[in-house]
Amino acid sequence: MAALLCLRAGRAGAATICFEAAPLARGPVPAGATGAFGASQRLCRFSTASPPEAIKVPSAPEEGGRTVVDGPQGPIIVAKVGGEYFAVDGTCPHMKKSMKAGKIEAGPDGPTLTCRLHNSSFNMKSGKCVKWVTGALGFESSVVGGLVGKLGGEKCDIQAYKVVESEDGGMWLEASSE
């Protein structure tokens, strides 16, 4: 499926150029590839190609709702919580399962998205992992969490996106470096 990529240059009021492009190829991380946050914070999604500058959101979610858009690394969840929009990658790094239906809760540092499978939680403002594999199917269990936590991927953060609303009512996502 082709993706709509948009590039903006200059300051506010500058022109935006959009074009259709094929999605980036997925595959193993090549040797020497680095993440967007550098060595101080581990991000699970890697790409040797430059990410698109902006990803169009076709329809903004209502308060308390969410929408899912196709991103260069897979699905991105866009949610509106407390009057603000937040967006993060929609795949849990633990077992590579979808978090599309994960619980979203408001918090003092921004909302969190919780994977329904093993309870891992991610701050939707920064993408930071705030809780890692603590049970299963919404139930907390240190025994289950300890056993299941040894399977799948290592604890890591996910990509957060800056949500930009344009004057014409459109909505775009840009990779965030928070």
Side-chain angles (χ1 to χ4, degrees), residues 11-173:
R11 298 177 184 216
T16 300
I17 300 170
C18 297
F19 56 94
E20 296 260 336
L24 297 174
R26 295 183 194 172
V29 177
T34 58
F37 295 113
S40 63
Q41 187 175 16
R42 187 164 182 272
L43 180 69
C44 289
R45 302 269 184 211
F46 292 86
S47 175
T48 56
S50 298
E53 214 171 283
I55 300 166
K56 179 150 179 60
V57 179
S59 60
E62 298 291 327
E63 180 64 39
R66 71 186 79 196
T67 190
V68 178
V69 298
D70 291 326
Q73 302 292 335
I76 298 172
I77 297 170
V78 182
K80 187 174 184 182
V81 180
E84 290 185 65
Y85 292 102
F86 300 90
V88 291
D89 279 342
T91 303
C92 182
H94 175 233
M95 300 290 269
K96 308 294 186 243
K97 299 297 181 187
S98 173
M99 295 192 289
K100 292 178 188 177
K103 187 175 185 177
I104 296 175
E105 295 181 284
D109 298 323
T112 57
L113 170 64
T114 300
C115 179
R116 292 175 39 170
L117 193 56
H118 298 118
N119 309 341
S120 295
S121 295
F122 303 89
N123 179 290
M124 292 187 74
K125 189 173 183 179
S126 66
K128 183 171 178 55
C129 179
V130 294
K131 184 169 74 168
W132 186 250
V133 189
T134 62
L137 306 174
F139 297 100
E140 298 290 324
S141 168
S142 59
V143 173
V144 172
L147 293 171
V148 176
K150 294 177 183 175
L151 306 172
E154 295 178 16
K155 178 181 178 179
C156 59
D157 301 333
I158 59 176
Q159 177 69 56
Y161 297 85
K162 179 180 175 185
V163 181
V164 178
E165 295 177 79
S166 62
E167 293 176 10
D168 65 1
M171 181 176 284
W172 306 90
L173 304 178

